[in-house]
Amino acid sequence: MVITMQPGCPKGDVARVISALRRAGLEPRIISSDPRVVLGVVEEISPAEAERLTQDVGGLDGVEEITSFEKSWKLVSKSFKAETTQVQLGSLSVGGPEVLAAAGPCAVESRENFLETALLLHQAGAGALRGGAFKPRTSPYSFRGMGEEGLKIMAEAREITGLPIITEVLTASEVDLVARYADVLQIGTRNMQNFALLEAVGETDRPVLLKRGMMASIKELLLSAEYIVARGNWQVMLCERGIRTFETETRNTLDLSAVPLLKQYTHLPVVVDPSHAAGKRELVPALALAAVAAGADGILVEVHPRPEEALSDGRQSLRPGQFTDMMAGLRRVAAAVGRQLREAGA
Amino acid sequence: MVITMQPGCPKGDVARVISALRRAGLEPRIISSDPRVVLGVVEEISPAEAERLTQDVGGLDGVEEITSFEKSWKLVSKSFKAETTQVQLGSLSVGGPEVLAAAGPCAVESRENFLETALLLHQAGAGALRGGAFKPRTSPYSFRGMGEEGLKIMAEAREITGLPIITEVLTASEVDLVARYADVLQIGTRNMQNFALLEAVGETDRPVLLKRGMMASIKELLLSAEYIVARGNWQVMLCERGIRTFETETRNTLDLSAVPLLKQYTHLPVVVDPSHAAGKRELVPALALAAVAAGADGILVEVHPRPEEALSDGRQSLRPGQFTDMMAGLRRVAAAVGRQLREAGA
Amino acid sequence: MVITMQPGCPKGDVARVISALRRAGLEPRIISSDPRVVLGVVEEISPAEAERLTQDVGGLDGVEEITSFEKSWKLVSKSFKAETTQVQLGSLSVGGPEVLAAAGPCAVESRENFLETALLLHQAGAGALRGGAFKPRTSPYSFRGMGEEGLKIMAEAREITGLPIITEVLTASEVDLVARYADVLQIGTRNMQNFALLEAVGETDRPVLLKRGMMASIKELLLSAEYIVARGNWQVMLCERGIRTFETETRNTLDLSAVPLLKQYTHLPVVVDPSHAAGKRELVPALALAAVAAGADGILVEVHPRPEEALSDGRQSLRPGQFTDMMAGLRRVAAAVGRQLREAGA
Amino acid sequence: MVITMQPGCPKGDVARVISALRRAGLEPRIISSDPRVVLGVVEEISPAEAERLTQDVGGLDGVEEITSFEKSWKLVSKSFKAETTQVQLGSLSVGGPEVLAAAGPCAVESRENFLETALLLHQAGAGALRGGAFKPRTSPYSFRGMGEEGLKIMAEAREITGLPIITEVLTASEVDLVARYADVLQIGTRNMQNFALLEAVGETDRPVLLKRGMMASIKELLLSAEYIVARGNWQVMLCERGIRTFETETRNTLDLSAVPLLKQYTHLPVVVDPSHAAGKRELVPALALAAVAAGADGILVEVHPRPEEALSDGRQSLRPGQFTDMMAGLRRVAAAVGRQLREAGA
């Protein structure tokens, strides 16, 4: 339920509306206050109750209009907030005119390796570094990442390059640890519906990159984002990374329709990870260009200086030269759709 | 890697093999000791190392054969342990000749309601009670269960009926709390790859019901079970509950092929939840019968005394009379495949 | 639109209703005439027109009730005809109390081979023989069947065993040829929406076995059956044979929920092909039993005397001994659900 | 099997190789003759036979190298022919530097309507007109197109605008009729594996637009193209149009990974139909831009002057103004990836 007040109505009017809603057991949130106050009620209410409230509250002074949310998501919806949320990443605003190109290896494997990669990526114009210190692995016997040691290496790479770092957090109990080092907390595809983890990152002040579950619908992705935002953290980027289908030529099927769809439904910025979707490096540049052409606010790709030596995801990691070439293409496509990529090394 | 010793070989031979493996940095586990000792090595080793080990260890006294695991799962595989694991649930052994029929409402909604249902189900011959106290919900605004209060109500129902209770645990931090009340810890479909949670239940001595992720392959299900068993808890039941497909007439598509497939790959018992798969109560009895005919060790169904009043999943909950009728059919089908259901109220 | 006349109303009343509908450009069909006349109008009409007709026709003498079809399928729906259609196959009525067990090799490969198999299957109690003479093949370079020669061999096998034969027809232009030899015309999964072919078999008097497309919804399957029935051929059996999903352990995912769903929506009998779904012979018996337990009117399985020599689908073909064992299991499960299988060689 | 001859080897050498292959029961095809002769053998041969042939033929004079096809498709593969096939459409070469923008209504509904649309599209720079005269419909009661009358209207639109026309053919028996009017024969998604139809269009000299089945893998699409090419018609364009997945926010999921994948596997040009995939007009422009950025040789979109009046697919048809805007965007993105769109009305 969204209550729009008249522009310039006295504060007392707003207070009376809030009181009326609270008497009904609801906790309204102020969605925006300029140029007019808009209040949102996100609790689930029955149609009967909604009608009664609309009559009661609709009759109060200063109320211009009462509408319901179009869809089951609320705080993250365009009905709630029309302009795109900008997520601040260092000097870059994701969701603004600049397009984010975040890159890095699947996992931090050693200090030398990561710093070498970070310098290469900085040189080639990457806007952020990604890398995994805590890795979710399907098998209990696979390499699970370097842990805090990996976080420290990423922090060192940020010192050297000035680039913000994005890394995954796996459990609610590790959120504080990861947030001490990372600029962006990534929620991986297997954790998109780990609700305790969503609430934990919702209580930090760190931007969150929420990856779509590989078999989650758009609606479920938005409701998972709603969990984070409902806890007070509005700095959320959504990430399309491929869904599971019957096609086996690619690891997953990149669902680029998600980009214009999400842009229509939500004010949160949308980034695309073509590496995990494709699973083959030779497909990544074409899909990255397509993502930006479709309106994505950024891309997230895996790059490794020597993919054949990577402990995980080597098959889908770009070589540094391929990344540089792709960046040149991205600059041209971004310009063609009225966006821009930062200059290399800027 | 599986090392099979000769029957009746001296203990010293076994000890020397274990020492040799430890010197190579591996920690062998004794898989079985009667009629012969079988050792398993689950660490990932390179082909070169495997060959070297096979030569070194294969030359030691008492070693009969060294083989590798057929598939990526190890401890849960049939190569590791041929006979079906029996999970003890009160007086019932799941995985033995008796078939488990566990039933109950989606969520515990009130004391009166749950106790009334429990008595009805006991009367109709259910072998265990299921119910949710902590509910994972796609939307942050939906009813999330009664929490510990719900656990207490279930424990009371167990007192009265003597039936063991099965309930879901959502996070690693709540495992101890839930284990204080529940006989079986359920891992829900959205948490099948919540690895921290899998390890936490792997460290308890409570039987675990592991539901297949709605987007997870058979292989991933077995690897998730491996996480639990690798921590020492072998009392794991696998549960097929429907996968996501393009078909929208049912909530999910029940994949009954999973039953004979899992029986071929693993020694763990397999149960089937037709309620969540179908999403429509009128389909549930036919699918429950089919599950038992396919070789399932049990079924898990939702029953509610007045489905139209249920706070969740009412559409797929059987009415008590339907459950009683279904049980009669299950008894006949179980007998047709050489199994049996316990008598009503026994 | 379904117009139900009063029981025992004069023929003139019925004639006047038919005239009124024809004046509106519609062509009513008599769905049943005993104990009362029921007329069906299958043309698509706008809601406005429907309302006008309901008023006009509803006011005529003898009209008891006018309802609309619940779903987009009409002639094949339960609203149209409540009792199950029985498809006559030799002395067996598919859709009656007896369960059909049809079996045979994927393709007719040679006279000796097919006759040998036919005798084995007859001995083991099969109710019909299946085999392919015209094979649809994904690659233009694969074996496409023996053509008319194969049909002749199947006809010879029928002479010898007395069993009816089921075989696929690929194009509208071959319908007459295949219908000269076959007892049942099979429409394969790739042709479920070959509408010209559906109409061609709809104009024969041969029973049709319509396989669900491997990525077709239940609704589409019913609409394809509607194409056949709309041309006057009501002898249609529907066949669930697995759908495409992300799971790769099986060739397709057998969707047994389709059985109770179709039973709820249509009066046409439903059979199940577990061989193509599973793609692995060791899974077939369990799935065949499950199909009958779920209420299927028959099963269709691939059997080959020496599967390792089969030109196609060897991996999923049962050996004769496995078929005999499966038949014993099917008899017990059929009895458990109040059905029966014919005695071996009867 | 691909036999590469030495550059400039005498004709007699080639003849002797061909004779040797024919003696082995094979029918080699000359794949290319300049700068060297390359022969292809597409028949399926066993590994043993392949080895024997390699030895026999490999020893003949003039043979430089014998390789096998990398994949199961042959004539359509890059191993067979490295440079992109250019399909001639009026003055446009699909597969060359120019990008095709084909547009039109789902079905030809009336002469006025189609001619009005054709003029608008010509004005806006479309490179070809699409429209359906014979429509495949899931329900037998839906509008199935105007038939030959519709073809005549399209031919008239070609007269007026000079634009080539693309239209679907549904059955082998109608190929001649449709080929009398159409410039391009379209094979629709439901007919991708209608092998008789594929062979029929393979015997014409008309370019073919082969749509991927909504449930077909990339491999199956290429094998269906192989059916056409094997009959002698090399003028085949492949079309990605969305696949079926669990996501219901879009009609199908557009699989843009198919574009770079197909470019890697085949020499045939690739076009994309975002309209049928998305099912919602507001998503179409973003996806069309993405397709061109990903390397597609063309796009195919539905446009209707008044979508709300369309007899089919209105929800996904662009309005003329949207099409014009999209064309402007396409021009910029095409330029960004080194391609070009023809000028409006040129």
Side-chain angles (χ1 to χ4, degrees):
Chain A
M1 209 170 172
V2 181
I3 299 106
T4 308
M5 305 298 294
Q6 289 160 357
C9 78
K11 287 195 172 177
D13 286 0
V14 178
R16 268 183 295 275
V17 168
I18 291 177
S19 299
L21 292 165
R22 286 194 179 144
R23 276 196 304 274
L26 305 169
E27 189 48 52
R29 297 159 194 242
I30 297 180
I31 301 173
S32 82
S33 53
D34 185 40
R36 62 179 68 198
V37 172
V38 181
L39 299 169
V41 171
V42 298
E43 285 91 349
E44 291 202 346
I45 48 183
S46 69
E49 203 181 351
E51 197 180 332
R52 193 178 50 71
L53 267 174
T54 303
Q55 289 193 345
D56 289 2
V57 175
L60 295 179
D61 284 349
V63 173
E64 186 169 294
E65 194 184 17
I66 299 183
T67 54
S68 59
F69 289 103
E70 256 176 86
K71 306 273 184 178
S72 47
W73 48 89
K74 298 169 204 284
L75 301 178
V76 305
S77 81
K78 280 265 185 186
S79 340
F80 207 100
K81 177 167 175 295
E83 71 278 15
T84 302
T85 292
Q86 303 212 358
V87 174
Q88 208 59 35
L89 230 68
S91 61
L92 194 91
S93 291
V94 184
E98 278 197 328
V99 170
L100 169 70
C106 176
V108 181
E109 296 168 355
S110 75
R111 185 173 169 276
E112 294 64 36
N113 214 324
F114 193 77
L115 296 185
E116 175 193 356
T117 312
L119 285 167
L120 280 167
L121 295 174
H122 179 248
Q123 198 67 29
L129 297 176
R130 52 144 292 153
F134 295 93
K135 303 294 303 170
R137 299 308 298 265
T138 303
S139 161
Y141 311 121
S142 301
F143 172 61
R144 299 207 218 169
M146 294 179 75
E148 187 169 2
E149 190 53 33
L151 295 175
K152 286 180 181 164
I153 293 168
M154 280 190 278
E156 190 182 346
R158 174 181 46 204
E159 289 291 299
I160 295 171
T161 61
L163 294 175
I165 62 174
I166 303 174
T167 199
E168 182 165 356
V169 57
L170 293 180
T171 66
S173 60
E174 286 164 350
V175 166
D176 284 346
L177 171 67
V178 177
R180 269 208 295 284
Y181 297 94
D183 299 285
V184 177
L185 301 174
Q186 178 179 312
I187 305 292
T189 188
R190 287 171 190 76
N191 276 320
M192 194 201 83
Q193 294 194 317
N194 182 333
F195 303 117
L197 179 57
L198 297 177
E199 295 188 333
V201 299
E203 279 164 7
T204 69
D205 58 359
R206 281 273 176 277
V208 175
L209 180 82
L210 176 63
K211 286 196 152 187
R212 180 180 181 182
M214 65 184 86
M215 211 135 178
S217 66
I218 296 288
K219 179 179 168 180
E220 289 166 340
L221 173 60
L222 287 167
L223 286 170
S224 285
E226 186 86 14
Y227 263 94
I228 302 171
V229 171
R231 290 289 166 132
N233 187 349
W234 289 71
Q235 295 277 295
V236 178
M237 297 172 273
L238 304 174
C239 180
E240 161 61 29
R241 48 79 66 211
I243 56 173
R244 255 184 194 180
T245 70
F246 63 85
E247 176 60 74
T248 54
E249 286 285 333
T250 44
R251 184 167 166 176
N252 290 123
T253 297
L254 188 66
D255 178 14
L256 276 185
S257 311
V259 176
L261 256 178
L262 287 170
K263 288 281 167 193
Q264 187 183 344
Y265 290 159
T266 182
H267 52 81
L268 299 174
V270 179
V271 305
V272 170
D273 171 355
S275 301
H276 281 89
K280 295 175 173 174
R281 82 175 61 87
E282 61 271 27
L283 307 179
V284 170
L287 293 174
L289 267 56
V292 172
D297 297 300
I299 57 141
L300 194 69
V301 294
E302 291 192 341
V303 180
H304 195 283
R306 290 165 297 279
E308 43 292 316
E309 296 173 12
L311 294 184
S312 54
D313 287 353
R315 180 68 186 86
Q316 73 201 29
S317 295
L318 293 173
R319 296 174 196 287
Q322 291 177 307
F323 179 71
T324 306
D325 290 352
M326 184 189 79
M327 290 295 284
L330 280 178
R331 273 184 201 96
R332 290 190 297 268
V333 171
V337 295
R339 309 286 287 268
Q340 64 194 85
L341 244 83
R342 203 161 286 200
E343 276 317 291
Chain B
M1 210 171 169
V2 181
I3 299 105
T4 307
M5 305 299 292
Q6 290 160 357
C9 78
K11 287 195 171 178
D13 285 0
V14 178
R16 269 182 296 275
V17 168
I18 290 177
S19 299
L21 292 165
R22 284 193 179 146
R23 276 195 305 275
L26 305 169
E27 189 47 51
R29 297 160 194 242
I30 297 181
I31 301 173
S32 83
S33 53
D34 185 40
R36 61 180 66 201
V37 172
V38 181
L39 299 170
V41 170
V42 298
E43 284 91 350
E44 291 204 347
I45 49 183
S46 69
E49 202 181 351
E51 198 179 331
R52 195 180 48 71
L53 267 175
T54 302
Q55 288 192 346
D56 290 1
V57 174
L60 295 179
D61 284 349
V63 173
E64 187 170 291
E65 193 183 18
I66 299 184
T67 54
S68 61
F69 289 104
E70 259 176 85
K71 306 272 184 176
S72 48
W73 48 90
K74 297 168 205 284
L75 301 177
V76 304
S77 81
K78 280 263 184 188
S79 340
F80 207 100
K81 177 166 175 293
E83 69 278 16
T84 303
T85 292
Q86 302 212 358
V87 174
Q88 209 58 37
L89 230 69
S91 61
L92 194 91
S93 291
V94 184
E98 279 197 328
V99 170
L100 169 70
C106 176
V108 181
E109 295 169 355
S110 74
R111 186 173 168 276
E112 292 63 37
N113 215 323
F114 192 77
L115 296 185
E116 174 193 357
T117 312
L119 285 168
L120 281 166
L121 295 174
H122 179 248
Q123 198 68 29
L129 296 176
R130 53 144 293 155
F134 295 93
K135 303 295 302 170
R137 299 309 299 264
T138 303
S139 162
Y141 311 121
S142 300
F143 171 62
R144 298 207 218 170
M146 295 179 73
E148 188 169 1
E149 190 53 32
L151 295 175
K152 286 180 182 165
I153 293 169
M154 280 190 276
E156 191 181 347
R158 173 179 48 203
E159 290 289 300
I160 296 172
T161 61
L163 294 175
I165 62 175
I166 302 173
T167 198
E168 182 164 357
V169 56
L170 292 179
T171 68
S173 60
E174 285 164 350
V175 166
D176 285 346
L177 171 66
V178 177
R180 268 209 296 285
Y181 297 96
D183 298 285
V184 177
L185 302 174
Q186 178 178 312
I187 304 292
T189 188
R190 287 171 190 77
N191 275 321
M192 193 201 81
Q193 293 194 319
N194 182 334
F195 303 118
L197 179 57
L198 297 177
E199 295 188 334
V201 299
E203 278 164 7
T204 70
D205 59 359
R206 280 275 176 277
V208 175
L209 180 83
L210 176 63
K211 287 197 152 184
R212 180 181 183 182
M214 66 183 85
M215 68 297 180
S217 66
I218 295 289
K219 180 179 167 178
E220 290 166 340
L221 173 59
L222 287 167
L223 286 170
S224 285
E226 187 86 14
Y227 263 94
I228 301 172
V229 172
R231 290 287 165 133
N233 187 350
W234 288 71
Q235 295 277 296
V236 178
M237 296 172 274
L238 304 174
C239 180
E240 161 61 29
R241 49 76 69 210
I243 56 173
R244 249 180 203 188
T245 69
F246 65 87
E247 177 60 75
T248 55
E249 287 285 334
T250 43
R251 182 166 167 176
N252 291 122
T253 296
L254 188 67
D255 178 14
L256 276 185
S257 310
V259 177
L261 257 178
L262 287 170
K263 288 282 165 191
Q264 186 183 345
Y265 290 159
T266 182
H267 52 80
L268 298 175
V270 179
V271 304
V272 170
D273 171 355
S275 302
H276 282 87
K280 295 175 174 174
R281 82 174 62 88
E282 61 271 26
L283 307 179
V284 170
L287 293 174
L289 267 57
V292 171
D297 296 302
I299 57 142
L300 195 68
V301 294
E302 290 192 341
V303 181
H304 195 284
R306 289 165 298 279
E308 43 294 316
E309 296 173 13
L311 294 184
S312 55
D313 286 354
R315 181 69 187 84
Q316 72 201 31
S317 296
L318 293 173
R319 296 174 196 286
Q322 291 176 308
F323 178 71
T324 305
D325 290 352
M326 183 190 79
M327 289 295 283
L330 279 178
R331 275 184 200 98
R332 289 190 299 268
V333 171
V337 294
R339 308 285 289 267
Q340 63 194 85
L341 244 83
R342 204 162 282 200
E343 277 317 292
Chain C
M1 209 171 169
V2 181
I3 300 105
T4 308
M5 304 298 293
Q6 289 160 355
C9 78
K11 286 194 173 178
D13 285 359
V14 176
R16 269 183 295 275
V17 168
I18 291 177
S19 300
L21 292 165
R22 286 194 178 143
R23 277 195 305 274
L26 304 169
E27 188 48 52
R29 296 159 195 241
I30 296 181
I31 301 173
S32 84
S33 53
D34 185 41
R36 61 179 68 198
V37 172
V38 180
L39 299 169
V41 171
V42 299
E43 284 91 349
E44 290 203 349
I45 47 182
S46 68
E49 203 180 350
E51 197 180 333
R52 195 179 50 69
L53 266 174
T54 303
Q55 288 193 347
D56 289 3
V57 175
L60 295 178
D61 284 347
V63 173
E64 186 169 292
E65 193 183 19
I66 299 183
T67 54
S68 60
F69 289 104
E70 256 175 86
K71 306 272 185 179
S72 47
W73 48 88
K74 299 168 204 284
L75 301 177
V76 306
S77 81
K78 280 263 183 186
S79 340
F80 207 100
K81 176 166 176 295
E83 69 278 14
T84 302
T85 292
Q86 303 213 359
V87 175
Q88 208 58 36
L89 229 69
S91 60
L92 194 91
S93 292
V94 184
E98 278 197 329
V99 171
L100 169 70
C106 176
V108 181
E109 296 168 356
S110 76
R111 183 172 170 277
E112 294 64 36
N113 213 324
F114 193 78
L115 297 185
E116 175 194 357
T117 312
L119 285 168
L120 280 167
L121 295 173
H122 179 248
Q123 197 68 30
L129 296 175
R130 51 144 293 155
F134 296 93
K135 301 296 302 171
R137 299 309 298 264
T138 304
S139 162
Y141 311 121
S142 300
F143 171 62
R144 300 209 218 168
M146 297 179 71
E148 186 169 4
E149 190 54 32
L151 295 174
K152 286 180 182 165
I153 293 168
M154 280 190 278
E156 191 181 347
R158 174 179 46 203
E159 288 292 299
I160 296 171
T161 62
L163 294 175
I165 61 174
I166 303 173
T167 198
E168 182 164 355
V169 56
L170 292 179
T171 68
S173 59
E174 287 164 349
V175 166
D176 285 346
L177 171 65
V178 177
R180 270 208 295 286
Y181 297 94
D183 298 284
V184 177
L185 302 174
Q186 178 179 312
I187 305 292
T189 188
R190 288 171 190 76
N191 276 320
M192 193 201 83
Q193 293 193 318
N194 183 333
F195 303 117
L197 179 58
L198 297 177
E199 295 187 334
V201 300
E203 278 162 8
T204 71
D205 58 359
R206 280 274 175 276
V208 176
L209 180 81
L210 175 64
K211 286 197 155 187
R212 180 180 181 182
M214 66 184 84
M215 211 133 175
S217 66
I218 295 288
K219 179 179 167 179
E220 289 166 342
L221 172 60
L222 287 166
L223 287 169
S224 285
E226 187 86 15
Y227 263 93
I228 301 171
V229 171
R231 289 290 166 131
N233 186 351
W234 289 71
Q235 295 277 295
V236 178
M237 297 171 275
L238 304 174
C239 181
E240 160 62 29
R241 50 75 69 212
I243 57 173
R244 251 180 199 186
T245 70
F246 64 86
E247 177 59 75
T248 54
E249 286 285 334
T250 44
R251 185 168 167 174
N252 289 123
T253 297
L254 188 67
D255 178 13
L256 276 185
S257 311
V259 177
L261 257 177
L262 288 170
K263 287 282 165 190
Q264 186 183 345
Y265 290 158
T266 182
H267 52 80
L268 299 175
V270 179
V271 305
V272 170
D273 171 355
S275 301
H276 282 87
K280 295 176 173 172
R281 82 174 62 86
E282 61 271 27
L283 306 181
V284 170
L287 293 174
L289 268 56
V292 172
D297 296 301
I299 57 143
L300 195 68
V301 294
E302 291 192 343
V303 181
H304 195 284
R306 289 164 299 280
E308 43 292 317
E309 296 173 12
L311 294 183
S312 53
D313 286 353
R315 180 68 187 85
Q316 73 201 30
S317 296
L318 292 173
R319 299 175 193 286
Q322 291 176 308
F323 179 71
T324 305
D325 290 351
M326 185 190 78
M327 289 296 283
L330 279 178
R331 275 184 201 97
R332 289 191 299 268
V333 171
V337 295
R339 309 285 287 266
Q340 63 194 86
L341 244 85
R342 203 161 286 200
E343 276 318 292
Chain D
M1 208 170 170
V2 181
I3 299 105
T4 308
M5 305 297 293
Q6 289 160 357
C9 78
K11 287 197 171 178
D13 286 359
V14 176
R16 268 182 296 275
V17 168
I18 290 177
S19 300
L21 292 166
R22 286 195 179 143
R23 276 195 304 276
L26 304 170
E27 190 46 53
R29 297 158 193 241
I30 296 181
I31 302 174
S32 83
S33 54
D34 187 38
R36 62 181 64 200
V37 172
V38 181
L39 299 169
V41 170
V42 298
E43 285 90 351
E44 290 202 348
I45 48 182
S46 69
E49 203 180 349
E51 198 180 333
R52 195 180 49 69
L53 266 174
T54 302
Q55 289 193 346
D56 289 3
V57 175
L60 296 178
D61 284 348
V63 173
E64 186 170 291
E65 192 184 18
I66 299 184
T67 55
S68 60
F69 289 103
E70 257 176 84
K71 306 272 185 178
S72 47
W73 47 91
K74 299 168 204 287
L75 302 177
V76 304
S77 81
K78 280 263 182 186
S79 339
F80 207 100
K81 177 167 176 294
E83 68 278 15
T84 302
T85 292
Q86 301 212 0
V87 174
Q88 209 56 37
L89 230 68
S91 61
L92 193 90
S93 292
V94 184
E98 278 197 328
V99 171
L100 168 70
C106 175
V108 181
E109 296 168 355
S110 76
R111 185 174 169 276
E112 293 65 35
N113 214 324
F114 193 78
L115 296 185
E116 174 193 358
T117 312
L119 285 167
L120 279 166
L121 295 173
H122 178 248
Q123 198 66 29
L129 296 175
R130 50 144 295 155
F134 296 93
K135 302 295 301 171
R137 300 308 299 263
T138 304
S139 161
Y141 310 121
S142 299
F143 171 62
R144 299 208 219 169
M146 294 179 74
E148 187 169 2
E149 189 55 31
L151 295 175
K152 287 180 180 163
I153 293 168
M154 280 189 277
E156 190 180 348
R158 174 180 47 205
E159 290 291 300
I160 296 171
T161 62
L163 294 175
I165 61 175
I166 304 173
T167 198
E168 182 164 358
V169 56
L170 293 180
T171 68
S173 60
E174 287 165 350
V175 166
D176 284 347
L177 171 65
V178 177
R180 269 208 296 283
Y181 297 95
D183 299 284
V184 177
L185 301 174
Q186 177 178 313
I187 305 292
T189 187
R190 287 171 191 76
N191 276 321
M192 194 201 82
Q193 293 195 316
N194 183 333
F195 302 118
L197 179 57
L198 296 177
E199 294 188 334
V201 300
E203 278 163 8
T204 70
D205 59 359
R206 280 273 176 278
V208 176
L209 180 83
L210 176 63
K211 287 198 153 186
R212 179 181 183 182
M214 67 184 84
M215 69 297 177
S217 65
I218 295 287
K219 179 179 168 179
E220 289 166 341
L221 172 60
L222 287 167
L223 287 169
S224 285
E226 187 86 15
Y227 264 94
I228 302 171
V229 171
R231 291 287 165 134
N233 187 351
W234 288 71
Q235 295 277 295
V236 178
M237 297 171 275
L238 304 174
C239 180
E240 161 62 29
R241 47 77 68 214
I243 57 173
R244 250 181 200 187
T245 69
F246 65 87
E247 177 59 75
T248 54
E249 286 285 333
T250 44
R251 184 168 166 175
N252 290 124
T253 297
L254 188 67
D255 178 13
L256 276 185
S257 311
V259 177
L261 257 178
L262 288 169
K263 288 282 164 191
Q264 185 183 346
Y265 291 158
T266 182
H267 52 80
L268 298 174
V270 179
V271 305
V272 170
D273 171 355
S275 301
H276 282 88
K280 295 175 173 173
R281 82 175 61 89
E282 62 271 27
L283 307 180
V284 169
L287 293 174
L289 267 57
V292 172
D297 296 300
I299 56 141
L300 195 69
V301 293
E302 292 192 342
V303 181
H304 194 284
R306 289 165 298 280
E308 43 293 317
E309 295 173 12
L311 294 184
S312 53
D313 287 352
R315 180 69 186 83
Q316 73 200 30
S317 296
L318 292 173
R319 298 174 195 286
Q322 292 176 306
F323 179 71
T324 306
D325 290 351
M326 184 190 77
M327 290 296 282
L330 279 177
R331 274 183 202 97
R332 290 190 298 268
V333 171
V337 294
R339 310 283 289 266
Q340 63 193 88
L341 244 84
R342 203 160 286 201
E343 277 316 291

